[in-house]
Amino acid sequence: GTKEPSLRFVAVSATFPNVVDAAEWLGTSNCKGVAYKLNENLRPVLLRKVVLGYPCSDTLSEFRFDLSLSYKLGHVIHTYSDGKPTLVFCATRKSVIQTACILAKSAHYVSNAAHKQQLIEVANTMHETKLRECLLNGIGFHHAGLSVSDRRLIEELFVAGRLQVLISTSTLAMGVNFPAHLVVIKSTAQYAAGSYKEYSETQLLQMIGRAGRPQFDSSATAVIMTR
């Protein structure tokens, strides 16, 4: 018979649960796939996970609960960020904008006059009014409804370290690589198919995985704000 080609696959995932099945599927009868499960000790940046529970009435809607967390966010960032880049994940676009606007009223993340001037210059080129207002306080937000140019400017600011706080929909965790020193998951419930459901473990791991900047940090923190 024909000789089997000696192809090699290296499949890597931070969240894939059934790696053994995947290895078997990638293997052949002559060359079995091998799966390695690596624990967090091998992570280049040590990750601290913090879960903050906020007791509330069972009758409080998810929307009201999420809103209440917006007023607690500033304290969480102050406590855990060490003044370094912070990525806040919210379940919906509406929550992203609302969270950013509430935070901007009470917190400012502008380091000096030169930084302020940079933010003013970028803000003047933004299409989204609320984004411009938040940006002047050193806070950005990011969701699929923004114009491409606004999204790109926010991404560039955050990656360059000129934006300390970025608030985004959880879908960003699946796409753009935005490592941050602190990741905050603001509420663990998302609205899907007509009702609220908890994030899956995979979704949480994707978001938490954004914590830690190997080139800058020796440690990072992920904070989960939940009921």
Side-chain angles (χ1 to χ4, degrees):
T2 56
K3 188 175 184 292
E4 199 168 277
S6 56
L7 281 176
R8 294 183 68 198
F9 293 94
V10 178
V12 182
S13 173
T15 57
F16 197 67
N18 47 331
V19 290
V20 175
D21 294 340
E24 281 182 18
W25 181 71
L26 286 171
T28 66
S29 55
N30 298 334
C31 181
K32 294 279 189 280
V34 181
Y36 297 99
K37 289 186 180 180
L38 308 176
N39 63 30
E40 284 190 13
N41 296 338
L42 294 169
R43 207 176 189 272
V45 178
L46 190 67
L47 180 64
R48 171 175 60 150
K49 300 189 198 77
V50 179
V51 178
L52 300 177
Y54 298 92
C56 62
S57 163
D58 290 341
T59 58
L60 187 70
S61 70
E62 286 295 345
F63 173 78
R64 300 295 300 179
F65 177 69
D66 183 71
L67 181 62
S68 74
L69 294 183
S70 298
Y71 293 95
K72 297 176 172 68
L73 183 61
H75 177 69
V76 170
I77 293 171
H78 177 74
T79 305
Y80 295 101
S81 74
D82 296 329
K84 295 176 181 176
T86 298
L87 193 51
V88 180
F89 286 114
C90 301
T92 65
R93 292 182 196 180
K94 187 174 182 179
S95 176
V96 163
I97 298 166
Q98 192 174 59
T99 302
C101 292
I102 289 171
L103 185 63
K105 286 175 183 165
S106 62
H108 305 274
Y109 303 97
V110 182
S111 48
N112 52 43
H115 183 210
K116 179 78 172 180
Q117 188 57 40
Q118 281 181 336
L119 293 174
I120 290 169
E121 287 170 12
V122 176
N124 287 338
T125 67
M126 293 280 177
H127 296 93
E128 169 69 44
T129 307
K130 287 179 179 172
L131 183 55
R132 281 203 299 269
E133 292 166 1
C134 290
L135 202 56
L136 297 178
N137 290 319
I139 298 162
F141 61 80
H142 188 290
H143 60 70
L146 293 175
S147 69
V148 173
S149 60
D150 279 6
R151 284 207 308 271
R152 190 168 292 132
L153 282 168
I154 288 296
E155 289 164 13
E156 287 170 0
L157 276 177
F158 191 73
V159 170
R162 298 206 299 272
L163 191 62
Q164 192 193 323
V165 178
L166 177 60
I167 299 169
S168 168
T169 45
S170 51
T171 49
L172 182 70
M174 307 294 178
V176 189
N177 182 25
F178 275 166
H181 178 77
L182 170 66
V183 164
V184 180
I185 299 173
K186 181 176 164 272
S187 180
T188 53
Q190 60 176 339
Y191 191 75
S195 64
Y196 280 95
K197 295 182 177 67
E198 292 288 308
Y199 284 131
S200 68
E201 185 183 1
T202 298
Q203 285 173 301
L204 287 171
L205 286 171
Q206 286 280 9
M207 289 184 266
I208 288 169
R210 292 285 175 248
R213 304 167 302 155
Q215 68 274 46
F216 302 118
D217 296 327
S218 57
S219 65
T221 304
V223 175
I224 299 174
M225 302 173 76
T226 188
R227 283 182 187 252

